[in-house]
Amino acid sequence: MHKLRYRLLLVFVVSLWLVVVPTRAQNPRLQVISYAGTDVYAIALAPSGERFAITDGSEGLLYYEDKKPFCICKDPEAVFAFDPQGQTILFISNQVLGLWSIQEKALISIITINQWLDYTFGLTWINEDIFILGFKAEAGNIVILDAKDFTVRKIIPADGIQFISSAAKLPSKLFLLNDSYYPFGSIESLDLVSLKTTPFNLPFNKFLIMNYFAVSPDGKLAVAQNAEPDNLPLQIFELSSHRVIYDLEGPISQVCSISWNSTGDLIGVTFDGKAYLIRYETR
């Protein structure tokens, strides 16, 4: 797999099993992890460790810890994210925002958000701020909430923004997927102090980003699905140089979610109703 400094280990879920697939450089071996799920749509990884939450078509929003699932809500279309410390899971379901405690395994706070947004399709948490991307009366907005009391800090117009992501080590920036090449997108960063956006100028003839992306903890790398003429590869690339570091062999179908944990060693992906992990290591 040519001489890269990075090694990826793809983990995919088949039916009720999560199977680790080795890279070509490794001898064939499988590591099976017990898993329960039938129709996985989205995944979010905890900041560290192999903990994660998924939405399942029949079970709703589930949190997995030590191979055991805990039901957070029954909505398979819930939008969700971990807090930066991995102690709670924030979710939005039917215009209701809830906070679920991992320690207590229970809902600890709930509010309605229909006064700010009619529909939500992006959610991330940076320090003490919660960022929600959605529509209100057909206008795109990013609503910033205080994580302590859920009061509104700011509402930023966000027409044309398809998705948002954050980098654990860059709390002053929010990363955006702009639909400048609709239905495809380009990635840019938003300075949360000046509210100035800076595009990464990904060349249109090389990158047609589809729907979702995630950035590494230092904000230098991104992982996204690229629309090529006869393939839909999942790629890890440098945002500044546009250099593709890793190209997941395709073709694969359309990715439904991507998550990169805060320690940088795991990437979660879902497509075809299955969840995948990519184990990312630097030497």
Side-chain angles (χ1 to χ4, degrees), residues 23-278:
T23 62
R24 293 185 202 170
Q26 295 175 311
N27 295 324
R29 61 188 179 89
L30 297 177
Q31 175 188 352
V32 182
I33 301 174
S34 179
Y35 185 84
T38 57
D39 185 17
V40 180
Y41 179 69
I43 186 170
L45 302 182
S48 62
E50 294 191 19
R51 298 181 297 124
F52 55 89
I54 64 166
T55 41
D56 179 277
S58 59
E59 300 294 331
L61 176 57
L62 304 174
Y63 166 67
Y64 275 83
E65 181 180 87
D66 296 328
K67 307 176 184 180
K68 183 179 179 180
F70 299 87
C71 184
I72 298 174
C73 76
K74 290 293 186 179
D75 183 5
E77 298 183 359
V79 181
F80 55 102
F82 284 84
D83 76 80
Q85 288 74 43
Q87 298 175 351
T88 56
I89 295 174
L90 185 75
F91 68 94
I92 297 175
S93 171
N94 298 317
Q95 296 183 311
V96 171
L97 182 150
L99 190 64
W100 192 84
S101 168
I102 289 174
Q103 180 178 0
E104 299 177 24
K105 304 295 187 294
L107 188 65
I108 57 175
S109 185
I110 189 170
I111 64 166
T112 59
I113 62 168
N114 59 345
Q115 64 269 42
W116 308 310
L117 294 168
D118 299 322
Y119 179 74
T120 301
F121 50 93
L123 178 65
T124 192
W125 193 327
I126 304 174
N127 288 346
E128 299 299 323
D129 291 329
I130 294 166
F131 296 79
I132 308 171
L133 174 64
F135 285 113
K136 180 65 177 178
E138 300 185 359
N141 288 304
I142 297 172
V143 177
I144 305 176
L145 300 182
D146 186 313
K148 294 180 180 179
D149 58 13
F150 297 150
T151 56
V152 175
R153 290 188 188 270
K154 191 177 297 183
I155 296 178
I156 303 172
D159 284 331
I161 302 303
Q162 295 178 305
F163 196 67
I164 56 176
S165 183
S166 57
K169 297 178 182 178
L170 285 179
S172 63
K173 294 188 182 297
L174 185 67
F175 293 81
L176 315 174
L177 184 63
N178 194 314
D179 67 354
S180 51
Y181 306 133
Y182 185 84
F184 309 110
S186 61
I187 300 174
E188 56 191 28
S189 66
L190 172 68
D191 187 290
L192 295 174
V193 177
S194 67
L195 298 184
K196 179 183 177 181
T197 58
T198 302
F200 289 99
N201 297 317
L202 298 173
F204 177 75
N205 63 348
K206 186 177 179 181
F207 294 98
L208 293 175
I209 306 302
M210 297 179 61
N211 302 317
Y212 305 97
F213 76 105
V215 292
S216 59
D218 60 6
K220 295 180 179 180
L221 305 177
V223 55
Q225 187 174 32
N226 194 3
E228 296 182 351
D230 57 355
N231 199 2
L232 298 174
L234 189 68
Q235 297 176 329
I236 296 175
F237 53 91
E238 292 179 340
L239 285 168
S240 59
S241 69
H242 312 152
R243 180 173 68 94
V244 175
I245 293 175
Y246 185 80
D247 197 333
L248 179 66
E249 293 181 18
I252 61 176
S253 61
Q254 184 169 325
V255 166
C256 295
S257 68
I258 305 175
S259 176
W260 201 328
N261 72 350
S262 298
T263 52
D265 60 336
L266 288 176
I267 299 170
V269 183
T270 58
F271 60 90
D272 279 346
K274 302 169 187 176
Y276 298 75
L277 288 177
I278 299 170

